[in-house]
Amino acid sequence: ELVSGPKGGKGKAGDGFDVSKSGDTRVGLVGFPSVGKSTLLTKLTGTESLAAGYEFTTLTAIPGNLRYKGAKLQILDLPGIIEGAKDGKGRGRQVISTARTCNVILLVLDAS
């Protein structure tokens, strides 16, 4: 169900992705599965975001907060984007919708 999306193309609106905005700006971590988004969130904010050796460890938006030079940044660890996300694959529509609420999108890539 995760890779093909909910049956009928529609799930509950915002299911697991409703995160209240907080702080001065919102940063979304976007990238393919298993590129280090959860690890980056944990290192930057100290928020526990499960990282494992398999794809789709993160299934919902995980928020963390970082203070930098007096500014409070809310950082969202979003599930991995896969080909066909705009069509709902891999919860793509939910991820894209949540990413659109961010002031900054940080694309996370695996350079190895």
Side-chain angles (χ1 to χ4, degrees), residues 14 16-22 26 60-65 74-78 98 101:
F17 287 82
D18 290 335
V19 178
S20 298
K21 274 189 166 183
S22 68
R26 181 182 254 191
T60 62
I62 309 292
N65 292 305
Q74 181 184 48
I75 302 175
L76 296 181
D77 177 15
L78 298 171
T98 303
T101 69

mmCIF file of all heavy atoms in Angstrom, residues 14 16-22 26 60-65 74-78 98 101:
data_model
loop_
_atom_site.group_PDB
_atom_site.id
_atom_site.type_symbol
_atom_site.label_atom_id
_atom_site.label_comp_id
_atom_site.label_asym_id
_atom_site.label_seq_id
_atom_site.Cartn_x
_atom_site.Cartn_y
_atom_site.Cartn_z
ATOM 1 N N GLY A 14 -4.028 14.709 5.070
ATOM 2 C CA GLY A 14 -2.989 15.052 6.027
ATOM 3 C C GLY A 14 -2.674 13.980 7.038
ATOM 4 O O GLY A 14 -2.008 14.240 8.020
ATOM 5 N N GLY A 16 -1.077 11.924 9.378
ATOM 6 C CA GLY A 16 0.306 11.811 9.826
ATOM 7 C C GLY A 16 1.196 12.945 9.378
ATOM 8 O O GLY A 16 2.369 12.969 9.687
ATOM 9 N N PHE A 17 0.649 13.896 8.613
ATOM 10 C CA PHE A 17 1.465 14.980 8.084
ATOM 11 C C PHE A 17 1.050 16.331 8.647
ATOM 12 O O PHE A 17 1.618 17.342 8.292
ATOM 13 C CB PHE A 17 1.382 15.002 6.555
ATOM 14 C CG PHE A 17 2.133 13.874 5.922
ATOM 15 C CD1 PHE A 17 1.580 12.614 5.807
ATOM 16 C CD2 PHE A 17 3.417 14.069 5.460
ATOM 17 C CE1 PHE A 17 2.287 11.579 5.243
ATOM 18 C CE2 PHE A 17 4.127 13.033 4.882
ATOM 19 C CZ PHE A 17 3.554 11.781 4.777
ATOM 20 N N ASP A 18 0.046 16.376 9.505
ATOM 21 C CA ASP A 18 -0.392 17.641 10.094
ATOM 22 C C ASP A 18 0.562 18.038 11.213
ATOM 23 O O ASP A 18 0.476 17.531 12.321
ATOM 24 C CB ASP A 18 -1.816 17.531 10.650
ATOM 25 C CG ASP A 18 -2.860 17.394 9.566
ATOM 26 O OD1 ASP A 18 -2.586 17.853 8.442
ATOM 27 O OD2 ASP A 18 -3.928 16.830 9.826
ATOM 28 N N VAL A 19 1.483 18.934 10.900
ATOM 29 C CA VAL A 19 2.452 19.418 11.869
ATOM 30 C C VAL A 19 2.254 20.920 11.983
ATOM 31 O O VAL A 19 2.333 21.633 10.977
ATOM 32 C CB VAL A 19 3.907 19.114 11.419
ATOM 33 C CG1 VAL A 19 4.900 19.673 12.407
ATOM 34 C CG2 VAL A 19 4.106 17.628 11.229
ATOM 35 N N SER A 20 1.965 21.395 13.184
ATOM 36 C CA SER A 20 1.775 22.831 13.387
ATOM 37 C C SER A 20 3.068 23.577 13.116
ATOM 38 O O SER A 20 4.135 23.161 13.564
ATOM 39 C CB SER A 20 1.327 23.114 14.820
ATOM 40 O OG SER A 20 0.100 22.511 15.088
ATOM 41 N N LYS A 21 2.938 24.671 12.372
ATOM 42 C CA LYS A 21 4.112 25.509 12.128
ATOM 43 C C LYS A 21 4.560 26.146 13.429
ATOM 44 O O LYS A 21 3.740 26.563 14.235
ATOM 45 C CB LYS A 21 3.776 26.612 11.133
ATOM 46 C CG LYS A 21 3.925 26.227 9.699
ATOM 47 C CD LYS A 21 3.790 27.462 8.817
ATOM 48 C CE LYS A 21 4.272 27.140 7.425
ATOM 49 N NZ LYS A 21 4.228 28.309 6.549
ATOM 50 N N SER A 22 5.860 26.199 13.624
ATOM 51 C CA SER A 22 6.406 26.881 14.790
ATOM 52 C C SER A 22 7.732 27.513 14.397
ATOM 53 O O SER A 22 8.374 27.097 13.435
ATOM 54 C CB SER A 22 6.595 25.913 15.961
ATOM 55 O OG SER A 22 7.623 24.991 15.678
ATOM 56 N N ARG A 26 10.248 27.475 8.339
ATOM 57 C CA ARG A 26 10.084 26.018 8.249
ATOM 58 C C ARG A 26 10.926 25.511 7.090
ATOM 59 O O ARG A 26 10.835 26.009 5.977
ATOM 60 C CB ARG A 26 8.617 25.688 8.019
ATOM 61 C CG ARG A 26 8.338 24.207 7.929
ATOM 62 C CD ARG A 26 6.882 23.960 7.648
ATOM 63 N NE ARG A 26 6.238 23.483 8.856
ATOM 64 C CZ ARG A 26 5.016 22.975 8.888
ATOM 65 N NH1 ARG A 26 4.278 22.914 7.816
ATOM 66 N NH2 ARG A 26 4.521 22.528 10.014
ATOM 67 N N THR A 60 5.931 9.421 8.147
ATOM 68 C CA THR A 60 5.197 10.666 8.361
ATOM 69 C C THR A 60 6.201 11.804 8.501
ATOM 70 O O THR A 60 7.403 11.562 8.535
ATOM 71 C CB THR A 60 4.340 10.618 9.648
ATOM 72 O OG1 THR A 60 5.199 10.447 10.766
ATOM 73 C CG2 THR A 60 3.328 9.493 9.602
ATOM 74 N N ALA A 61 5.712 13.023 8.600
ATOM 75 C CA ALA A 61 6.601 14.167 8.806
ATOM 76 C C ALA A 61 7.069 14.178 10.263
ATOM 77 O O ALA A 61 6.263 14.097 11.178
ATOM 78 C CB ALA A 61 5.860 15.462 8.484
ATOM 79 N N ILE A 62 8.377 14.261 10.455
ATOM 80 C CA ILE A 62 8.968 14.301 11.792
ATOM 81 C C ILE A 62 9.546 15.709 11.996
ATOM 82 O O ILE A 62 10.482 16.092 11.293
ATOM 83 C CB ILE A 62 10.096 13.256 11.959
ATOM 84 C CG1 ILE A 62 9.652 11.866 11.526
ATOM 85 C CG2 ILE A 62 10.643 13.283 13.377
ATOM 86 C CD1 ILE A 62 8.609 11.238 12.392
ATOM 87 N N PRO A 63 8.999 16.480 12.945
ATOM 88 C CA PRO A 63 9.510 17.837 13.160
ATOM 89 C C PRO A 63 10.642 17.887 14.189
ATOM 90 O O PRO A 63 10.688 17.101 15.125
ATOM 91 C CB PRO A 63 8.289 18.584 13.692
ATOM 92 C CG PRO A 63 7.512 17.534 14.434
ATOM 93 C CD PRO A 63 7.762 16.239 13.691
ATOM 94 N N GLY A 64 11.546 18.810 13.978
ATOM 95 C CA GLY A 64 12.604 19.104 14.940
ATOM 96 C C GLY A 64 12.833 20.604 14.953
ATOM 97 O O GLY A 64 12.462 21.298 13.997
ATOM 98 N N ASN A 65 13.419 21.126 16.011
ATOM 99 C CA ASN A 65 13.670 22.560 16.125
ATOM 100 C C ASN A 65 15.149 22.837 16.328
ATOM 101 O O ASN A 65 15.833 22.112 17.040
ATOM 102 C CB ASN A 65 12.871 23.161 17.285
ATOM 103 C CG ASN A 65 11.389 23.132 17.004
ATOM 104 O OD1 ASN A 65 10.936 23.639 15.988
ATOM 105 N ND2 ASN A 65 10.624 22.516 17.892
ATOM 106 N N GLN A 74 12.180 25.458 12.302
ATOM 107 C CA GLN A 74 11.502 24.164 12.390
ATOM 108 C C GLN A 74 11.943 23.364 11.170
ATOM 109 O O GLN A 74 11.809 23.827 10.034
ATOM 110 C CB GLN A 74 9.984 24.330 12.380
ATOM 111 C CG GLN A 74 9.256 22.994 12.499
ATOM 112 C CD GLN A 74 7.751 23.140 12.389
ATOM 113 O OE1 GLN A 74 7.250 23.796 11.493
ATOM 114 N NE2 GLN A 74 7.050 22.530 13.319
ATOM 115 N N ILE A 75 12.487 22.182 11.409
ATOM 116 C CA ILE A 75 12.970 21.335 10.325
ATOM 117 C C ILE A 75 12.091 20.090 10.267
ATOM 118 O O ILE A 75 11.877 19.430 11.287
ATOM 119 C CB ILE A 75 14.453 20.955 10.537
ATOM 120 C CG1 ILE A 75 15.293 22.237 10.627
ATOM 121 C CG2 ILE A 75 14.943 20.056 9.412
ATOM 122 C CD1 ILE A 75 16.746 22.010 10.944
ATOM 123 N N LEU A 76 11.580 19.785 9.072
ATOM 124 C CA LEU A 76 10.722 18.612 8.885
ATOM 125 C C LEU A 76 11.457 17.536 8.105
ATOM 126 O O LEU A 76 11.934 17.786 6.992
ATOM 127 C CB LEU A 76 9.452 18.987 8.108
ATOM 128 C CG LEU A 76 8.486 19.961 8.749
ATOM 129 C CD1 LEU A 76 7.288 20.180 7.832
ATOM 130 C CD2 LEU A 76 8.032 19.458 10.105
ATOM 131 N N ASP A 77 11.544 16.356 8.689
ATOM 132 C CA ASP A 77 12.055 15.174 7.993
ATOM 133 C C ASP A 77 10.847 14.558 7.284
ATOM 134 O O ASP A 77 9.907 14.101 7.927
ATOM 135 C CB ASP A 77 12.652 14.197 9.008
ATOM 136 C CG ASP A 77 13.149 12.900 8.383
ATOM 137 O OD1 ASP A 77 13.296 12.842 7.148
ATOM 138 O OD2 ASP A 77 13.388 11.945 9.151
ATOM 139 N N LEU A 78 10.863 14.582 5.959
ATOM 140 C CA LEU A 78 9.741 14.060 5.175
ATOM 141 C C LEU A 78 10.085 12.693 4.595
ATOM 142 O O LEU A 78 11.248 12.408 4.314
ATOM 143 C CB LEU A 78 9.399 15.033 4.045
ATOM 144 C CG LEU A 78 8.952 16.422 4.502
ATOM 145 C CD1 LEU A 78 8.841 17.373 3.317
ATOM 146 C CD2 LEU A 78 7.625 16.335 5.233
ATOM 147 N N THR A 98 2.948 18.783 2.050
ATOM 148 C CA THR A 98 3.626 19.267 3.253
ATOM 149 C C THR A 98 4.840 20.112 2.879
ATOM 150 O O THR A 98 5.089 21.148 3.489
ATOM 151 C CB THR A 98 4.042 18.093 4.159
ATOM 152 O OG1 THR A 98 2.877 17.340 4.480
ATOM 153 C CG2 THR A 98 4.697 18.578 5.425
ATOM 154 N N THR A 101 4.299 23.758 2.279
ATOM 155 C CA THR A 101 4.083 24.639 3.434
ATOM 156 C C THR A 101 5.399 25.173 3.996
ATOM 157 O O THR A 101 5.387 25.993 4.903
ATOM 158 C CB THR A 101 3.320 23.917 4.570
ATOM 159 O OG1 THR A 101 4.150 22.914 5.141
ATOM 160 C CG2 THR A 101 2.017 23.313 4.071
#
